[in-house]
């Protein structure tokens, strides 16, 4: 309430990207004062997925803490896991500003940041500091994407491999981003043959790293776009099953301009409620096409416990939020967790796993 009535109007009176940078700097400073601790958890919400224990199902989506600046603070806000990135192998500035816009009447965001990243070396260094040689008490996913000035198939594969090698030692899972709309040509990597080559390469890397370190292979999650045609979604599902990829993240932002957005000429990806319908449709298709065998992280327009619950029933084992945090404030993850407990109990489920996919079967 205080956030929506007092803080949000103050923040929204200023430029979106400057507010983001200042808020993150403040959270990073707060993070240095607190110890990393286990986030909110409950037996009904804790799950083991792809060999990772998730204390609760609500994660911070990629793009908010791209450079791993504020890790210790996120579990304090109730997040059960954090996805940093997108990280590119080489540091790069991203697109020219302005490149981040609020659309308050729709509770939406439009961004064309274009992978502004401190690069894999710096992010790996930060992750090594925060982990201090020990495992963190909550999972950290690291989302990797293509460096912009890398061209051609072989060079792109090398680029993803370089990021993977540098970052996988610090990651609970690696999210392979082939779906951001703001890096030219990136979404082509969702096509069947290219996706197969990319995922096979990273899988091989993950297995050799596991042998070298005497540890389990770091699981791969592939992050997909909400703008794929149904047959392309089936292709992605086929490759994921064939390559035994641990999970899917559905979805990234949309470039579609439907309904109220038809006249919107700014380029970039839309997030928040306008993305919901596409994100849900993609999730449901993926759930069916994989026969419910592959864990899916549902993301896109989730801003309440009810919405998170619908996504879980549609086939998501976990959810992520970003835009909702901007509009609903920092207590949203805790509210979602508490609301989920109530909704599960109302419907007679003892554990979240029992609800996954029941509306998509
Ligand atoms: C400002 C902004 C930056 C983002 N940056 C990334 C990114 O670097 N990598 C990525 O995979 N997704 C990125 N995303 C997409 C989010 O992770 C998420 O998939 C999308 O916003 C839908 O969720 P939401 O509606 O809860 O925001 C970004 C989203 C926003 C709003």
């Amino acid at each position: 309430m205080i956030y929506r009535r007092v803080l949000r109007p103050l923040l929204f009176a200023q430029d979106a990207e400057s507010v983001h940078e200042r808020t993150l700097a403040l959270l990073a400073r707060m993070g240095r004062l607190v110890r990393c601790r286990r986030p909110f958890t409950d037996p009904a919400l804790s799950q083991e997925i792809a060999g990772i224990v998730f204390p609760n199902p609500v994660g911070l989506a990629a793009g908010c803490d791209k450079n791993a600046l504020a890790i210790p603070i996120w579990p304090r806000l109730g997040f059960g896991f954090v996805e940093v990135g997108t990280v590119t192998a080489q540091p790069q500035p991203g697109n020219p500003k302005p490149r981040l816009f609020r659309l308050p009447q729709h509770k939406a965001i439009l961004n064309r940041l274009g992978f502004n990243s401190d690069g894999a070396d710096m992010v790996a260094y930060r992750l090594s500091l925060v982990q201090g040689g020990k495992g963190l008490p909550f999972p950290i996913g690291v989302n990797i994407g293509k460096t912009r000035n890398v061209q051609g198939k072989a060079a792109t594969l090398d680029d993803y491999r370089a990021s993977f090698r540098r970052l996988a030692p610090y990651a609970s899972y690696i999210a392979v981003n082939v779906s951001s709309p703001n890096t030219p040509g990136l979404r082509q990597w969702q096509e069947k043959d290219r996706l197969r080559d990319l995922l096979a390469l990273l899988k091989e890397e993950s297995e050799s790293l596991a042998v070298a370190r005497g540890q389990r292979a770091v699981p791969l999650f592939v992050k997909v776009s909400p703008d794929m045609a149904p047959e392309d979604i089936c292709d992605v599902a086929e490759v994921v099953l064939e390559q035994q990829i641990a999970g899917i993240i559905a979805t990234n932002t949309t470039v579609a301009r439907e309904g109220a957005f038809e006249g919107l000429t700014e380029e970039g990806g839309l997030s928040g409620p306008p993305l919901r319908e596409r994100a849900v449709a993609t999730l449901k298709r993926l759930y069916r096409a994989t026969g419910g065998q592959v864990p899916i992280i549902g993301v896109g327009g989730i801003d309440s416990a009810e919405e998170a619950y619908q996504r879980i029933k549609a086939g998501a084992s976990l959810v992520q939020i970003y835009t909702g945090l901007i509009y609903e404030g920092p207590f949203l993850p805790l509210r979602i967790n508490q609301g989920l407990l109530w909704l599960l109990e109302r419907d007679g489920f003892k554990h979240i796993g029992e609800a996954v996919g029941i509306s998509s079967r």
Side-chain angles (χ1 to χ4, degrees):
M1 203 62 130
I2 290 192
Y3 177 80
R4 263 180 279 168
R5 291 235 172 112
V6 182
L7 214 50
R8 191 172 75 185
L10 285 175
L11 295 174
F12 278 26
Q14 304 160 55
D15 167 68
E17 191 166 349
S18 327
V19 168
H20 175 76
E21 277 168 9
R22 269 181 280 132
T23 308
L24 205 58
L26 177 71
L27 291 173
R29 242 175 286 136
M30 286 163 68
R32 282 194 282 278
L33 300 175
V34 300
R35 281 165 57 88
C36 265
R37 76 166 187 210
R38 205 170 148 77
F40 176 87
T41 191
D42 185 281
L45 294 181
S46 166
Q47 303 171 88
E48 187 175 328
I49 290 167
I52 307 163
V53 177
F54 289 86
N56 74 57
V58 184
L60 180 70
C64 186
D65 193 0
K66 284 179 186 271
N67 292 306
L69 290 170
I71 301 281
I73 210 69
W74 303 117
R76 299 251 163 178
L77 300 182
F79 285 108
F81 66 108
V82 175
E83 192 171 305
V84 301
T86 293
V87 186
T88 52
Q90 305 302 323
Q92 60 178 28
N95 286 325
K97 294 179 185 174
R99 53 191 183 175
L100 181 64
F101 308 89
R102 303 179 193 99
L103 307 169
Q105 64 279 40
H106 303 284
K107 293 192 167 183
I109 297 282
L110 179 105
N111 96 84
R112 52 167 178 268
L113 293 169
F115 292 169
N116 47 322
S117 172
D118 289 348
D121 282 342
M122 181 53 90
V123 175
Y125 171 68
R126 290 201 187 111
L127 288 170
S128 75
L129 289 185
V130 80
Q131 297 191 2
K134 292 170 279 166
L136 283 168
F138 59 96
I140 295 212
V142 181
N143 179 308
I144 59 173
K146 183 180 100 67
T147 308
R148 189 184 183 100
N149 63 12
V150 165
Q151 307 291 341
K153 187 173 169 184
T156 301
L157 289 172
D158 282 348
D159 188 71
Y160 272 103
R161 176 166 41 205
S163 294
F164 183 90
R165 284 189 177 160
R166 198 71 192 86
L167 294 158
Y170 308 103
S172 310
Y173 69 86
I174 289 283
V176 185
N177 184 359
V178 283
S179 50
S180 282
N182 303 309
T183 294
L186 187 78
R187 286 183 167 195
Q188 287 171 17
W189 286 86
Q190 293 181 124
E191 288 163 15
K192 203 172 182 177
D193 293 342
R194 278 180 196 247
L195 186 64
R196 180 186 292 117
D197 291 348
L198 175 59
L199 294 179
L201 174 93
L202 296 179
K203 189 99 198 284
E204 209 179 291
E205 279 299 315
S206 179
E207 276 152 17
S208 359
L209 184 77
V211 172
R213 291 164 55 98
Q215 288 172 357
R216 69 180 187 99
V218 177
L220 297 175
F221 280 64
V222 58
K223 184 161 180 181
V224 301
S225 122
D227 303 327
M228 285 186 289
E231 54 277 18
D232 299 334
I233 298 178
C234 290
D235 284 350
V236 168
E238 199 181 311
V239 175
V240 163
L241 287 171
E242 173 201 294
Q243 296 296 320
Q244 298 183 326
I245 298 306
I248 306 172
I249 306 171
T251 66
N252 217 310
T253 54
T254 179
V255 293
R257 299 288 187 264
E258 293 151 333
F261 300 93
E262 266 170 24
L264 186 67
T265 50
E266 290 285 1
E267 274 182 31
L270 266 177
S271 58
L275 170 61
R276 247 179 228 153
E277 214 176 295
R278 283 175 172 265
V280 173
T282 307
L283 165 68
K284 286 188 164 179
R285 283 217 164 84
L286 284 167
Y287 182 83
R288 290 201 192 105
T290 52
Q293 297 302 300
V294 180
I296 306 176
I297 303 180
V299 51
I302 298 173
D303 58 5
S304 66
E306 191 57 54
E307 196 56 49
Y309 189 50
Q310 293 303 331
R311 213 61 64 98
I312 288 160
K313 289 199 289 184
S317 296
L318 301 160
V319 295
Q320 289 179 328
I321 55 175
Y322 183 176
T323 305
L325 201 61
I326 295 170
Y327 284 93
E328 304 304 323
F331 298 114
L332 180 63
L334 269 183
R335 284 209 303 273
I336 293 182
N337 275 307
Q338 272 151 0
L340 280 175
L341 282 174
W342 185 84
L343 290 162
L344 289 170
E345 196 183 325
R346 181 196 70 184
D347 292 353
F349 296 119
K350 292 205 164 45
H351 188 261
I352 180 174
E354 297 164 22
V356 173
I358 57 160
S359 67
S360 285
R361 285 178 201 150

